[in-house]
């Protein structure tokens, strides 16, 4: 399946989602629209993962929390490697380290790899941690053989990676893998890519392993000119000159502060946004905690990072 000429990222997303729905190519949750599709054959695609040399050499692997990567998370744990899973929608911080109980069987490890297991067997990893991530797995809605990637449009994978760069956890040489259905591998015009878009080095599908050889530089940090305007007591009110220059406000240079401060923070599933942030793709309404203007999600975030408002 190839996208039509002159399409946008959203056009490609809709085309993939419609195609997968029409052909019943996904498991629960359905419909796949506005999601990283939990495609049929995801477990089989993930079986390629441990065969990658990058996997064999890695000690610490970050895998996205979406359903189609459940088997990838299990394979990391089963190989006795350190598994980091981003907090869904960055609600309460960046990473969780999954720590199975001593002597865990494969059945227990499989439970640890589920969303419930992530909740039950994880400890938070703050942005001030000196963690080094050797391999990154991200979900995708569409990806090209050249390594261009399109997510579901909310920007979390791009922002997570930018935060990892800012904390020194990854570098340009850190391999990035995505696991998708064969129909999700399509031509994507390079003109659609922006500086903050994350590219991939390996694509795993149920039928093949694609080494993209992508030479396009990965993001080198948060692209502040694309980030949302931050209006919190922690960060102050940045002037428009900061955003025009693509620089972080002088009072808020870190990824930690950027996520704590964004007033349009991650939303609960199904929650309707009342505003939008066009930069990193996050969207959502301000949820006030205690009437003081702080979004409720920042309270949990700052508690993990050892800071308060």
């Amino acid at each position: 399946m190839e996208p039509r000429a002159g399409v946008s990222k959203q056009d490609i997303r809709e085309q993939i989602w419609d195609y997968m729905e029409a052909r019943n190519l996904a498991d629960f949750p359905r419909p796949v629209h506005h999601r990283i599709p939990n495609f049929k054959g995801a477990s089989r695609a993930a079986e390629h993962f441990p065969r990658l040399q990058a996997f064999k050499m890695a000690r610490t692997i970050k895998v996205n929390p979406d359903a189609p990567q459940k088997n990838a998370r299990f394979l990391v744990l089963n190989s006795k490697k350190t598994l980091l899973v981003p907090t869904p929608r960055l609600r309460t911080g960046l990473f969780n380290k999954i720590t199975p109980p001593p002597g865990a069987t494969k059945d227990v490890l499989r439970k640890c790899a589920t969303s419930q297991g992530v909740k039950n067997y994880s400890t938070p990893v703050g942005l001030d941690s000196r963690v080094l991530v050797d391999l990154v797995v991200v979900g995708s809605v569409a990806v090209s053989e050249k390594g261009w990637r399109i997510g579901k449009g909310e920007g979390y994978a791009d922002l997570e990676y930018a935060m990892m760069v800012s904390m020194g956890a990854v570098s340009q040489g850190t391999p990035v893998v995505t696991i998708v259905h064969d129909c999700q591998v399509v031509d994507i015009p390079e003109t659609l890519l922006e500086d903050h878009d994350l590219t991939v080095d390996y694509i795993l599908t149920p039928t093949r392993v694609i080494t993209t050889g992508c030479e396009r530089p990965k993001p080198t940090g948060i692209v502040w000119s694309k980030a949302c305007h931050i209006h919190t007591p922690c960060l102050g009110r940045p002037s428009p000159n900061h955003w025009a220059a693509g620089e972080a406000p002088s009072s808020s240079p870190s990824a930690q502060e950027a996520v704590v401060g964004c007033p349009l923070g991650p939303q609960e599933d199904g929650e309707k946004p009342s505003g939008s942030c066009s930069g990193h793709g996050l969207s959502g309404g301000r949820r006030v905690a205690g009437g003081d203007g702080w979004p409720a999600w920042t309270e949990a975030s700052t508690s993990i990072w050892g800071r308060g408002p």
Side-chain angles (χ1 to χ4, degrees):
M1 183 184 64
E2 299 303 332
R4 299 179 301 275
V7 298
S8 66
K9 286 182 180 179
Q10 188 60 26
D11 291 331
I12 294 175
R13 291 184 189 104
E14 295 290 346
Q15 190 173 351
I16 294 287
W17 288 327
D18 290 347
Y19 183 92
M20 298 185 78
E21 276 296 318
R23 288 158 180 78
N24 195 32
L25 296 178
D27 292 322
F28 177 86
R30 299 280 294 274
V32 297
H33 294 81
H34 310 292
R35 304 180 190 275
I36 299 297
N38 186 21
F39 63 95
K40 292 181 178 180
S43 292
R44 188 165 70 254
E47 289 173 4
H48 298 299
F49 193 30
R51 300 170 193 155
L52 295 178
Q53 187 63 24
F55 180 96
K56 295 175 182 177
M57 295 178 62
R59 295 182 179 181
T60 300
I61 301 177
K62 183 238 105 175
V63 183
N64 61 298
D66 301 290
Q69 275 68 62
K70 180 173 67 174
N71 197 36
R73 294 190 294 271
F74 161 73
L75 292 168
V76 172
L77 294 173
N78 193 50
S79 298
K80 297 183 173 16
K81 299 178 185 291
T82 298
L83 173 63
L84 300 179
V85 179
T87 302
R89 295 177 175 265
L90 302 178
R91 292 187 185 107
T92 56
L94 179 55
F95 289 136
N96 290 293
K97 178 183 177 181
I98 312 307
T99 307
T105 64
K106 286 191 176 183
D107 286 342
V108 172
L109 293 180
R110 291 189 187 280
K111 291 179 182 177
C112 291
T114 65
S115 58
Q116 189 60 46
V118 169
K119 294 177 183 177
N120 294 341
Y121 299 101
S122 68
T123 54
V125 177
L127 286 177
D128 56 351
S129 300
R130 294 184 178 179
V131 63
L132 292 177
V133 177
D134 302 308
L135 186 57
V136 173
V137 179
V138 295
S140 301
V141 173
V143 65
S144 79
E145 292 190 11
K146 294 181 178 179
W148 315 154
R149 171 190 171 273
I150 295 177
K152 60 186 175 183
E154 295 181 339
Y156 291 110
D158 298 324
L159 182 57
E160 288 162 7
Y161 184 86
M163 291 165 66
M164 287 191 289
V165 171
S166 296
M167 64 189 286
V170 297
S171 67
Q172 285 290 322
T174 305
V176 177
V177 178
T178 194
I179 304 174
V180 296
H181 191 276
D182 287 279
C183 77
Q184 293 174 261
V185 182
V186 298
D187 286 337
I188 297 173
E190 187 174 5
T191 53
L192 294 181
L193 300 188
E194 299 180 72
D195 290 344
H196 65 274
D197 286 329
L198 180 61
T199 56
V200 303
D201 302 291
Y202 299 97
I203 303 168
L204 311 184
T205 80
T207 66
R208 56 184 177 151
V209 175
I210 302 169
T211 302
T212 67
C214 183
E215 296 182 356
R216 182 184 177 93
K218 293 182 174 63
T220 56
I222 294 175
V223 180
W224 287 94
S225 61
K226 295 289 185 179
C228 65
H229 293 261
I230 300 170
H231 308 293
T232 69
C234 173
L235 301 177
R237 187 180 296 270
S239 71
N241 292 336
H242 288 121
W243 308 108
E247 300 172 350
S250 58
S251 62
S252 55
S254 71
Q256 174 175 343
E257 291 173 326
V259 175
V260 171
C262 178
L264 303 178
Q267 301 299 296
E268 301 294 337
D269 290 340
E271 185 172 348
K272 299 297 183 183
S274 60
S276 66
C277 168
S278 61
H280 50 49
L282 300 179
S283 62
R286 177 191 291 265
R287 289 186 281 151
V288 178
D292 61 0
W294 277 78
W297 70 280
T298 62
E299 296 188 323
S301 300
T302 52
S303 66
I304 280 180
W305 296 328
R307 321 177 31 164

